[in-house]
Amino acid sequence: ASLIGEAERIFVHAGHLGSFLRCRGAADIEDEAAAAERAWLEVQFAAYETSEARLVAALGAAGLETFERLLEEPLLAGAEYQLRRWRVQARATMAPELEELAAELSSDGIKAWGRLYSQIAGRLSFTLELPGAELERVPIAQKRSRMEDPAPGVRRAVLKASNEAWAEIEQVPLASMNSIAGTRLTLDRRRGVGHFLEPALHEARITHATLDAMLGAIEERAELVRRYLRIKARLLSGDPQCVALGFQDLRAPLGLASSQRISWSEASADVVSAFAAVYPALGDFARMAIERSWVDSEARAGKGPGGFCTSSYLLKESRIFMTFSGTAGDVKTLAHELGHAFHNWVMRDVRALARTYGPALAETASTFAEAVYSHAAFERAVQSPTIQAEILATRLDAAASFLLDIPMRFRFEEAFYTERAEGQVSASRTRELLLAAQRASYGDALDPEQVDPCFWASKRHFHLSGRRFYNFSYAFGYLFSQGVYQRASQEGPSFLPRYEELLIRTGSGSAERVARESIGVDLTQPAFWLESLDIVAADLARFEAVIGELGL
């Protein structure tokens, strides 16, 4: 029990250093000192993982009576779920000396590929060429926000130029994906893992039955979201015969209301106000986080791509990294990441061994916060049908992302791992797998002449060395939070303490158990997922009614 407590203490301090160095490296991709220190920390952490491997093996080898006595130790109060997870994990491990070797090699192997990808992506830029404008060199980190530009020519140019930049160096992300997946598959085989999805499901803390129920419900209602995309194609093009979008238009604003850029101060105040109107505790937290400068939002050269929230169990604080360019999508990202930070804040007094929740429930608080912001904004716009139409379009864009884009990523990664098990996958074959996944998800709502064959190279999630299949968890979090938000709307403020209790429980049980004990639903059955999808159907019906009123 004392050894486990010491391992927990080391984990907390190493995690603190890791979060700090991650922020340093993301804030300035040229910070060589931070990169060197991060590599050094990974070597040190490999020694921790070596010790953890011995601990996991010992827990697995212990007799049931001994293990149950261990759980009764006062030093381990609240850590039961993690200890039982370790015991299950021990069934799929190699001999202790081989696990130690794998941990030692990881820093210069699989983790090195992840670092290389991040460094290359952080330095990559593309030349944006627009009629009547000077050539502009744009960091790849700004690709997403620039593809939300209201001008269709800008969106097409951004996708084309960014893909050309990735195509020039495609052998780097290709080597990254092949090496990371290949290492995992080799270790899976040596550990006796039956299928490459099993570790991802164990990490997400859900069962295959839950994944199948969720994906099955999404597939059953996929045409609902495609219908919205066909409407969006017609509205963006102005052509009643146009029923397919280009990939670059999936996140494009409809431009029904003002598309002026919003300042950081306006955006942050808007998010805080929306939170406070519905959920005062969330509003107070968001105000505190912004006032204490816990958010790095500045758009600047040399900044890493993407956005994230990272936390220190030692400080009991979070930091948010994002690039704010003044778009509606940026405001939504701020709300999303503040949701993550609030989740960590609510759990700040929970011991570390009961704070490490899986990626499925990790997206609950973030997408719940998005829903709070969106619905508050919608209510404020009651006198403006055009603004309401834009808000509904933003919500339906999110639905399209979670219910079509995320399953597309899952299909692609599953196909890639299946082929990688037979050997190296070529760049041309990787593009084929990606485009097949795009066609399967979007159907005829996506223009086959305007696809994104380099998505596999540009999406950082495919190159994470510490996590595989980081895609289905987003769909889970979206639909789960929709169901939670619906209950919050029906029950009012009395539900919020139950919601916070749900967040606190996320590190102490499987997703199925947390859902059953907190809100009384069975995630292994389609009923809950279909109920959450009914919310999307209602948004679509409202959207169609509003644009009908506007004569569009």
Side-chain angles (χ1 to χ4, degrees), residues 205-534:
R205 306 184 185 192
I206 66 172
T207 64
H208 216 137
T210 293
L211 179 64
D212 288 344
M214 181 188 73
L215 292 178
I218 290 173
E219 180 62 28
E220 182 178 328
R221 299 285 180 86
E223 191 58 28
L224 183 76
V225 192
R226 294 179 190 131
R227 189 170 94 210
Y228 162 69
L229 293 182
R230 295 188 191 99
I231 296 172
K232 183 173 183 176
R234 173 174 62 79
L235 294 175
L236 284 177
S237 67
D239 180 0
Q241 303 302 316
C242 182
V243 293
L245 287 170
F247 198 89
Q248 73 280 356
D249 298 325
L250 292 173
R251 297 179 180 274
L254 286 178
L256 300 177
S258 172
S259 59
Q260 292 182 343
R261 301 267 168 171
I262 184 172
S263 70
W264 166 253
S265 59
E266 291 171 323
S268 55
D270 191 34
V271 170
V272 169
S273 174
F275 285 172
V278 178
Y279 192 174
L282 179 59
D284 290 342
F285 170 79
R287 183 182 297 107
M288 177 188 70
I290 291 166
E291 288 177 351
R292 294 187 181 182
S293 297
W294 288 1
V295 185
D296 176 6
S297 62
E298 183 185 11
R300 60 180 182 272
K303 193 174 181 181
F308 60 81
C309 173
T310 186
S311 299
S312 164
Y313 294 176
L314 186 65
L315 292 183
K316 300 183 180 181
E317 295 177 3
S318 296
R319 296 293 184 268
I320 292 170
F321 174 86
M322 61 178 291
T323 299
F324 185 83
S325 302
T327 69
D330 292 336
V331 184
K332 185 176 71 171
T333 297
L334 175 62
H336 180 98
E337 300 302 343
L338 282 168
H340 278 306
F342 181 70
H343 190 171
N344 294 320
W345 181 253
V346 169
M347 296 184 74
R348 63 190 180 279
D349 293 326
V350 176
R351 69 179 301 162
L353 284 175
R355 284 191 63 180
T356 53
Y357 43 79
L361 289 175
E363 296 303 327
T364 301
S366 54
T367 44
F368 182 88
E370 278 190 51
V372 171
Y373 170 73
S374 175
H375 285 272
F378 185 82
E379 293 302 322
R380 289 202 308 267
V382 67
Q383 301 299 325
S384 176
T386 54
I387 294 178
Q388 286 196 329
E390 281 284 7
I391 292 171
L392 287 168
T394 299
R395 294 219 289 259
L396 290 165
D397 282 339
S401 177
F402 288 120
L403 305 177
L404 295 180
D405 181 72
I406 294 300
M408 177 267 287
R409 299 183 203 179
F410 176 79
R411 285 187 176 100
F412 163 70
E413 195 164 10
E414 186 178 39
F416 184 89
Y417 268 72
T418 299
E419 297 211 2
R420 182 63 183 86
E422 303 300 321
Q424 293 276 330
V425 185
S426 68
S428 60
R429 182 56 180 160
T430 302
R431 287 191 293 272
E432 289 175 1
L433 295 175
L434 189 282
L435 293 177
Q438 286 183 0
R439 287 192 298 271
S441 281
Y442 289 97
D444 60 5
L446 184 64
D447 185 344
E449 300 301 319
Q450 301 183 72
V451 292
D452 186 1
C454 290
F455 186 83
W456 64 272
S458 63
K459 194 62 193 175
R460 183 176 63 93
H461 288 169
F462 296 136
H463 304 269
L464 294 174
S465 59
R467 182 170 289 168
R468 70 179 88 183
F469 285 88
Y470 196 30
N471 37 55
F472 63 77
S473 293
Y474 281 97
F476 181 105
Y478 170 72
L479 288 177
F480 186 66
S481 66
Q482 291 291 311
V484 171
Y485 183 82
Q486 186 178 48
R487 283 159 176 76
S489 300
Q490 293 168 348
E491 299 180 27
S494 64
F495 179 80
L496 297 178
R498 285 174 60 200
Y499 171 67
E500 292 187 15
E501 182 63 27
L502 183 157
L503 296 183
I504 291 171
R505 284 172 175 258
T506 52
S508 302
S510 67
E512 290 85 1
R513 177 182 172 185
V514 170
R516 183 176 63 253
E517 294 180 353
S518 60
I519 57 175
V521 297
D522 184 354
L523 300 183
T524 66
Q525 300 301 314
F528 171 78
W529 306 108
L530 291 171
E531 180 184 323
S532 294
L533 286 162
D534 286 341

Side-chain angles (χ1 to χ4, degrees), residues 89-113:
Q89 181 181 327
R91 300 172 191 161
T93 58
M94 301 179 289
E97 63 273 14
L98 292 179
E99 288 293 348
E100 293 172 20
L101 178 61
E104 290 178 16
L105 291 174
S106 65
S107 180
D108 293 322
I110 189 171
K111 291 181 181 178
W113 283 109

Side-chain angles (χ1 to χ4, degrees), residues 128-131 146-147 149-161 236 248-249 252 450:
L128 185 58
E129 185 175 355
L130 298 170
R146 299 296 286 268
M147 280 177 60
D149 194 286
V154 172
R155 297 194 299 270
R156 283 194 297 271
V158 169
L159 181 63
K160 179 176 181 293
L236 284 177
Q248 73 280 356
D249 298 325
Q450 301 183 72

